[in-house]
Amino acid sequence: MDISTLLGIIIGFGALILGFILEGGHVSSLFLLPPAIIVFGGTFGAVFASFPLKEMKKLSTWLKIAFTDKSYGTLEAYETLIRFAEKARREGLLSLEQELEEVEDRFTRQGMQLVIDGTDPDITREILESNIAVMEKRHKVGISVFEAAGGYSPTLGIIGTVMGLVHVLGNLTDPDSLSKSIAGAFLATLYGVAFANLLYLPIATKLKQKDKIEVASMEMIMDGILSIQAGENPSILKEKLKTHLGNIMEPANSRNE
């Protein structure tokens, strides 16, 4: 579990509810079905209309990425690249082929296989950069979905409020239902703004952060692979990868798939 994601959402909504209670409000008055249907139903409807269905089927996967703390395998990749560089220096690139089966990371394995096969360095770089670009494009869809939800939600909240006020103005002769109708109208705006800023947009930001870390990890691996192909001294490679490693490990130490 990615504790920061869950903890942040709990703190955010908890602060809103606690502040409401301290002002003398009752928690039960924050929960009404009609405005919830308008805001949440309208938001998800707008999001589904904005993206292909095949992409929306990945919604659970994106949520899992945002709320799960998975290992990037960055340290393992660093150690593997150093070991490969040292062995290639002693025994040649072809000696690495036997060890590729033990490499779990697909990106590292693919890149090293290109090197062992004698692929031109420019082509090797082009293929690896293409893999990174495809991954970024895939991640951007999930980010865009939650950013879209964060944009639609406040607007649907305003629409819900207007609809509620229309209902209020149409029933001014019924004082008993007036206060409940007004509360329901303004709850729609509360739902729209609160969920946009405490759920949808934070998840989009978390997905962005994890995407950047994974890209940085893959760029480190690519740099190491190309250095091995160029026959660089393992000591120089080690210092070069340490620079990458420091930048990656400072913000986080996990990797999403």
Side-chain angles (χ1 to χ4, degrees):
M1 177 67 70
D2 189 334
I3 299 299
S4 66
T5 305
L6 183 62
L7 187 61
I9 292 173
I10 291 174
I11 291 174
F13 280 103
L16 291 183
I17 294 174
L18 179 60
F20 181 73
I21 293 174
L22 291 177
E23 288 183 346
H26 297 283
V27 177
S28 59
S29 62
L30 291 176
F31 301 96
L32 286 178
L33 187 59
I37 291 175
I38 293 171
V39 176
F40 300 133
T43 298
F44 284 105
V47 171
F48 268 83
S50 302
F51 297 89
L53 182 59
K54 66 177 182 179
E55 298 294 350
M56 293 306 301
K57 290 180 179 179
K58 302 174 185 176
L59 182 61
S60 60
T61 301
W62 298 325
L63 288 172
K64 183 179 179 181
I65 291 171
F67 285 92
T68 302
D69 192 10
K70 294 180 64 178
S71 174
Y72 277 77
T74 305
L75 287 173
E76 292 83 351
Y78 167 81
E79 294 170 355
T80 298
L81 290 169
I82 297 300
R83 188 177 75 252
F84 280 3
E86 293 172 345
K87 186 168 183 178
R89 185 86 167 181
R90 294 192 311 266
E91 306 173 26
L93 290 172
L94 292 178
S95 65
L96 301 177
E97 190 161 18
Q98 297 178 353
E99 298 195 26
L100 280 186
E101 297 180 359
E102 300 176 5
V103 178
E104 295 183 2
D105 184 72
R106 184 189 62 82
F107 185 71
T108 304
R109 190 168 59 249
Q110 180 189 24
M112 288 307 305
Q113 187 64 62
L114 291 170
V115 172
I116 293 170
D117 292 341
T119 307
D120 183 87
D122 290 336
I123 296 178
T124 300
R125 176 184 289 276
E126 183 179 338
I127 292 174
L128 295 179
E129 288 179 342
S130 177
N131 276 323
I132 295 174
V134 169
M135 184 201 69
E136 283 189 283
K137 185 176 180 180
R138 186 177 70 247
H139 288 178
K140 283 180 180 178
V141 176
I143 294 169
S144 298
V145 165
F146 285 97
E147 285 182 335
Y152 294 138
S153 184
T155 303
L156 265 299
I158 295 173
I159 292 174
T161 297
V162 172
M163 292 174 66
L165 291 177
V166 169
H167 177 68
V168 169
L169 294 175
N171 291 274
L172 292 177
T173 56
D174 186 5
D176 293 334
S177 63
L178 193 60
S179 60
K180 185 176 181 180
S181 297
I182 294 175
F186 285 102
L187 271 180
T189 297
L190 175 63
Y191 289 163
V193 175
F195 276 82
N197 290 279
L198 295 178
L199 185 65
Y200 307 137
L201 295 179
I203 289 178
T205 302
K206 178 56 68 75
L207 292 176
K208 281 183 183 178
Q209 181 195 41
K210 291 191 173 186
D211 172 66
K212 289 180 180 179
I213 296 171
E214 185 166 7
V215 168
S217 178
M218 294 176 75
E219 287 177 343
M220 181 200 77
I221 294 171
M222 180 179 68
D223 200 1
I225 290 171
L226 293 173
S227 296
I228 293 172
Q229 187 174 29
E232 288 188 5
N233 189 297
S235 298
I236 297 176
L237 175 61
K238 185 180 296 185
E239 294 304 316
K240 181 186 294 186
L241 295 185
K242 279 183 180 179
T243 303
H244 283 285
L245 196 63
N247 294 332
I248 296 170
M249 300 305 289
E250 282 179 7
N253 61 359
S254 61
R255 180 175 185 171
N256 61 286
E257 296 296 341

